[in-house]
Amino acid sequence: MAGGMICQKGRNLLPHSFGSRPWLFQMHGSKKQTCIFLDPINNSLEERILHKLQGKECLGCYGEWVLLSDEVTRECYFLNIISFSKIYLPPFPQSPDFFLGSVSITSPPNTSNCIVILVCSQKTFLLICSLDRKKWTKVPLKYFNKNVGSLMGPSVIHNERLFVLANMGSTLVIDVALLVRGRVKMTVIEHLRVCPVTNAWYPYLVKCAGDLFSIFVHAYGRGQMIIHVEVRRLELSSNEMHWRRVQDIGNHAFFLAGHCGRSLPANKAWGAQRNCIYFIMNCSDGVKLYKFCLEDQALGFTFLPDTNGGLNRLQWAFPIKMMQTVEEVVFNSSDVVRSAETDSTVINQEDETDSVISRRWDELPIELVELLFPRLSLVDCLRLPSVCKGWSKTSSFIWKGRVWPWLMHLPNLKYRSFKFFDPFNCEEYTLKSDAVLVARDQLTLRYSKDGWVVITEGNKRVFLLNPFTSQVINLPPLPRKDYIFNGISFTSAPTSPDFIVYGFLFQICGEFVEISSWRPGEEEWRVLEFWQSIPFFPSSNNPVLLQGEFYCLGRKGELGVFNPELETWNVLCKPEPIHLTVPHYGNEYCHLLELDGDLISVFRTDDVRTPIRVFKLDQSEKAWEKLEHLGDVTLFVDRRNSIAIISPEKKYANRIYVPWFEDGMNSKKGIFYCMEDNKYHPSMHRVEGPVTCVWMQPNLHLHN
């Protein structure tokens, strides 16, 4: 009966700690008679038989209340998962499978003025019901805007208005009071800019502390590789609403699943870290719980136990008493972070023993100090001149220190700094930069060579930066709006007279390529256009310069070659491709590297169960030769850039370092793939890594 309530105690049927922190739960409808409860903190799974939930589908979760529908009878009601109380709604007018969208409510289900609004995915109408009515009301939406499209599903009621996301990224804003009376007063917020390199994006709406946020998770490929998370806050200016990108959600955490998003005060006891977003993705190697930290712009994940039910059925459960808790725990990172800019060695030696003769450090001959540099790491070389005034004269010898690739990434723009991770010593350093100080839009690290990094700001500005010497070279604006290179490279160090930058842009059809070039002193890019008879689908890796020509690796494993002197582009018939067909974009990372005049290709996926494959180009046979061992070589690969070096120590050889860390309690450990046992080390169970990053090898030639 509508509005009726039946109470039955069922607390002992639930897991012991259920209700004390966020849990995931899953109902299987008529496919399975059990309900699964998953504790993400302990990564444990419990399966319970709950007769009240058998044959039911969960359409949404609101604190302690879940909205359920029966697949057979079309019965619909709210169920309190703590007390097992029920609040009935009228049966759905059609099969519940038809309603694949989201459900919004104006107030808690146990209040008399609760109104339920159901958004039907890929449709152009809403279903509305109040608890005192006996039927659902269908309200069509009529709008004429090419930027809207059909409804996607995510919706939320905020400030007496219903916000619904459409599949073109636009937002419909509908007056709820009029909607209940069958009238539609609607405003459209123009579509959000979608990450152009992805073919899948997952939108969410979250209310938090009086504000409304939209979250877009961008992925590409069937393996669902996450490459970007964009957060925006709704703002009102000149009586117009718009979304503004933000990098801080304060002392809160967002939890996303299905079409639902919820906010909670941060509390480490609940496993909720401040300024972080938790979401679930069904990837090729299993279901993963991701954590995106806006503070560091870092993305981490842990594998969830196999529920055999798919991603769409998982829901977050937040008891009301927990959501009303006002305790806010400020999170202090336990990661060891050292600053290469501010750290110095301070010697304050006071020996009280008369038998020991104290000598000042600056009395050591400078010639002996200079002999230390080739044996020191980069950071120690940076610190050594600050020991005393006399040693500051050795700064010109810093470049003699031992260097190897570091992972450079950009945390939150508000810190005005870059971070560097040393994979061999497992230490992270922070370096402030004026280049970040003047940035107004998202910075993306594209490429590195000779200690320089190519960075784009938004979709217009391009510049080169040597982060250790603070030198900046600004390039002309990109040729046109949303002109994004598939790959970028340059011929030599930017201070060399023959320095030229080349950018490669391939059309999605694979039959057309634009190659842009720029020399110092020129005011705009020079663009060459090439039509090709053989379709070429590039990897996301940057071109490699070898013997005066730029080599591009295709997703099949073929090679394309650009000759700058002759201004020609060709797709080579040999070597023959690794794959017979073009892999779906994002299914596999393809890397191309150069080492001592040889081309090396690397093929890997985000599936940790899949071995990494490494090939070397046989110059005489013009064929890829598979390598089982790297010898004394170490490789460093990220999504865009790759570096190969002769390992400085034997223990680091025969490894492939990827842009991920083991998420430890007090430190970070770089994750690498060992060619000896064909496994990742440490375990890839709980990892994190920056969203935008690049491997770079520092260049400290200060006279440049």
Side-chain angles (χ1 to χ4, degrees):
M1 52 183 292
M5 180 177 293
I6 302 174
C7 182
Q8 176 183 346
K9 299 296 182 180
R11 177 71 177 137
N12 59 341
L13 299 176
L14 300 172
H16 175 70
S17 59
F18 187 81
S20 61
R21 55 178 178 263
W23 275 67
L24 286 162
F25 71 95
Q26 181 184 81
M27 300 177 189
H28 297 92
S30 59
K31 298 178 181 179
K32 200 172 182 181
Q33 298 302 310
T34 58
C35 185
I36 287 177
F37 296 88
L38 200 155
D39 184 350
I41 294 181
N42 299 324
N43 205 32
S44 61
L45 183 148
E46 296 187 35
E47 195 165 4
R48 300 294 180 94
I49 297 178
L50 301 175
H51 296 290
K52 296 290 183 182
L53 304 181
Q54 290 182 9
K56 305 298 187 295
E57 289 283 350
C58 182
L59 303 181
C61 184
Y62 315 90
E64 297 179 350
W65 295 91
V66 292
L67 179 59
L68 303 178
S69 68
D70 191 287
E71 293 180 336
V72 178
T73 66
R74 292 185 294 157
E75 183 183 42
C76 179
Y77 57 86
F78 285 101
L79 176 73
N80 188 301
I81 55 177
I82 301 298
S83 67
F84 279 74
S85 303
K86 288 184 180 181
I87 300 177
Y88 284 95
L89 294 173
F92 282 123
Q94 301 185 37
S95 169
D97 290 339
F98 181 79
F99 307 111
L100 302 177
S102 61
V103 181
S104 297
I105 58 177
T106 57
S107 59
N110 56 346
T111 58
S112 59
N113 58 346
C114 176
I115 298 173
V116 183
I117 304 176
L118 193 148
V119 176
C120 303
S121 181
Q122 303 302 321
K123 303 297 179 181
T124 56
F125 63 85
L126 306 174
L127 289 176
I128 304 175
C129 177
S130 59
L131 297 185
D132 58 351
R133 295 185 180 180
K134 298 183 179 181
K135 67 176 183 178
W136 292 87
T137 301
K138 181 178 178 180
V139 180
L141 301 178
K142 297 181 180 180
Y143 47 83
F144 303 94
N145 191 321
K146 65 180 181 179
N147 292 327
V148 174
S150 57
L151 305 182
M152 288 198 68
S155 65
V156 69
I157 296 176
H158 175 66
N159 290 341
E160 300 181 349
R161 286 175 285 192
L162 176 69
F163 291 78
V164 186
L165 290 179
N167 62 4
M168 298 297 290
S170 297
T171 309
L172 306 183
V173 185
I174 305 171
D175 187 288
V176 173
L178 294 176
L179 185 64
V180 173
R181 297 198 292 268
R183 297 171 54 192
V184 177
K185 181 182 179 181
M186 181 167 53
T187 303
V188 178
I189 304 177
E190 289 301 322
H191 69 288
L192 304 176
R193 179 170 59 89
V194 179
C195 186
V197 299
T198 62
N199 60 358
W201 42 287
Y202 302 90
Y204 303 89
L205 293 171
V206 178
K207 291 196 299 183
C208 176
D211 288 319
L212 181 62
F213 293 83
S214 67
I215 300 96
F216 280 70
V217 177
H218 298 276
Y220 70 97
R222 295 174 183 173
Q224 296 294 284
M225 298 177 183
I226 307 300
I227 65 169
H228 186 56
V229 179
E230 189 171 27
V231 183
R232 294 176 181 252
R233 183 177 59 230
L234 184 69
E235 294 193 351
L236 182 65
S237 61
S238 302
N239 295 322
E240 291 186 357
M241 291 177 287
H242 65 277
W243 294 105
R244 180 184 177 186
R245 188 169 59 86
V246 297
Q247 293 188 338
D248 198 330
I249 57 175
N251 199 39
H252 289 83
F254 291 172
F255 294 81
L256 316 175
H259 287 310
C260 300
R262 296 291 184 269
S263 169
L264 280 181
N267 189 323
K268 287 195 291 183
W270 298 339
Q273 182 177 326
R274 73 175 304 275
N275 207 20
C276 287
I277 298 173
Y278 298 83
F279 59 94
I280 307 163
M281 291 297 294
N282 196 9
C283 302
S284 58
D285 49 352
V287 178
K288 297 176 181 177
L289 172 61
Y290 280 93
K291 180 187 75 174
F292 176 66
C293 179
L294 281 82
E295 197 89 358
D296 293 332
Q297 293 291 296
L299 184 70
F301 70 84
T302 182
F303 285 99
L304 295 178
D306 185 11
T307 62
N308 295 318
L311 170 70
N312 295 330
R313 299 174 183 269
L314 282 171
Q315 297 279 349
W316 286 103
F318 309 107
I320 292 177
K321 60 181 180 181
M322 186 175 70
M323 297 181 69
Q324 293 176 341
T325 302
V326 296
E327 176 188 5
E328 297 188 354
V329 179
V330 177
F331 178 79
N332 294 315
S333 175
S334 60
D335 292 337
V336 178
V337 179
R338 299 190 175 102
S339 173
E341 175 184 308
T342 58
D343 277 8
S344 61
T345 304
V346 180
I347 306 297
N348 184 13
Q349 184 178 10
E350 297 181 1
D351 201 327
E352 298 179 357
T353 306
D354 294 337
S355 59
V356 178
I357 300 176
S358 299
R359 300 284 300 273
R360 295 192 309 174
W361 286 108
D362 58 4
E363 294 180 12
L364 187 67
I366 199 68
E367 294 79 11
L368 294 180
V369 177
E370 293 169 355
L371 293 177
L372 295 175
F373 280 95
R375 301 179 179 272
L376 297 177
S377 67
L378 172 62
V379 174
D380 290 331
C381 286
L382 292 171
R383 291 170 173 165
L384 200 63
S386 64
V387 171
C388 59
K389 183 177 181 180
W391 288 18
S392 63
K393 300 176 182 179
T394 65
S395 60
S396 61
F397 289 87
I398 288 179
W399 64 271
K400 292 185 178 181
R402 296 194 304 165
V403 296
W404 45 79
W406 285 7
L407 188 67
M408 175 181 176
H409 65 102
L410 178 69
N412 199 307
L413 279 177
K414 68 181 181 181
Y415 295 113
R416 310 301 185 189
S417 61
F418 292 102
K419 285 192 175 183
F420 298 85
F421 178 73
D422 180 349
F424 292 168
N425 295 316
C426 299
E427 293 184 351
E428 191 170 65
Y429 306 93
T430 301
L431 188 64
K432 291 185 177 180
S433 172
D434 291 338
V436 185
L437 184 65
V438 299
R440 294 294 180 266
D441 203 346
Q442 180 69 37
L443 297 181
T444 302
L445 311 181
R446 299 283 179 182
Y447 175 68
S448 77
K449 181 180 179 180
D450 295 327
W452 291 79
V453 181
V454 179
I455 304 175
T456 56
E457 180 181 355
N459 60 358
K460 291 296 292 182
R461 183 185 176 214
V462 186
F463 63 97
L464 285 85
L465 169 71
N466 187 323
F468 290 95
T469 64
S470 299
Q471 291 172 282
V472 176
I473 299 177
N474 287 301
L475 276 63
L478 293 173
R480 59 179 181 269
K481 185 178 180 180
D482 293 332
Y483 192 96
I484 298 179
F485 293 126
N486 297 95
I488 193 167
S489 184
F490 47 82
T491 54
S492 57
T495 51
S496 301
D498 58 348
F499 167 70
I500 307 175
V501 181
Y502 289 93
F504 294 71
L505 175 62
F506 296 86
Q507 297 298 324
I508 193 170
C509 63
E511 298 177 351
F512 180 73
V513 57
E514 294 181 48
I515 301 177
S516 304
S517 62
W518 175 83
R519 302 169 185 263
E522 296 179 342
E523 296 182 355
E524 60 183 18
W525 293 85
R526 179 171 178 263
V527 181
L528 298 174
E529 299 179 351
F530 300 95
W531 289 93
Q532 47 199 21
S533 58
I534 303 175
F536 184 81
F537 301 93
S539 66
S540 59
N541 199 78
N542 288 306
V544 170
L545 179 63
L546 178 64
Q547 298 177 359
E549 294 183 310
F550 286 98
Y551 287 81
C552 299
L553 182 65
R555 300 206 301 269
K556 290 173 60 178
E558 73 274 43
L559 290 175
V561 182
F562 171 66
N563 188 308
E565 184 176 352
L566 301 178
E567 296 187 346
T568 58
W569 164 263
N570 293 291
V571 179
L572 303 181
C573 297
K574 289 187 175 183
E576 294 184 358
I578 302 296
H579 299 292
L580 296 178
T581 59
V582 180
H584 194 279
Y585 190 74
N587 281 4
E588 189 175 48
Y589 290 116
C590 310
H591 311 278
L592 188 64
L593 311 91
E594 182 272 334
L595 180 66
D596 293 337
D598 289 318
L599 287 177
I600 298 174
S601 60
V602 180
F603 298 84
R604 68 181 181 92
T605 72
D606 272 348
D607 189 337
V608 299
R609 302 166 300 183
T610 303
I612 293 180
R613 296 183 297 166
V614 183
F615 299 86
K616 176 182 175 181
L617 183 63
D618 187 322
Q619 298 284 0
S620 59
E621 299 293 333
K622 298 298 180 183
W624 290 116
E625 174 190 355
K626 188 173 183 180
L627 299 180
E628 304 294 342
H629 199 278
L630 296 177
D632 59 354
V633 173
T634 305
L635 306 182
F636 303 81
V637 298
D638 59 67
R639 194 167 65 87
R640 297 184 178 91
N641 205 51
S642 307
I643 301 176
I645 66 168
I646 303 298
S647 179
E649 295 184 30
K650 184 177 180 181
K651 62 181 179 179
Y652 302 126
N654 203 32
R655 294 178 176 180
I656 303 174
Y657 280 87
V658 295
W660 294 93
F661 324 119
E662 182 187 44
D663 189 7
M665 293 298 295
N666 299 308
S667 64
K668 293 181 178 180
K669 293 183 179 179
I671 291 179
F672 61 88
Y673 181 85
C674 178
M675 293 289 289
E676 189 72 31
D677 59 8
N678 294 319
K679 293 181 180 179
Y680 286 93
H681 301 271
S683 169
M684 287 277 283
H685 174 68
R686 188 181 295 271
V687 302
E688 69 173 29
V691 174
T692 175
C693 61
V694 67
W695 288 106
M696 64 90 63
Q697 192 158 350
N699 182 349
L700 301 177
H701 287 69
L702 302 182
H703 61 275
N704 281 348

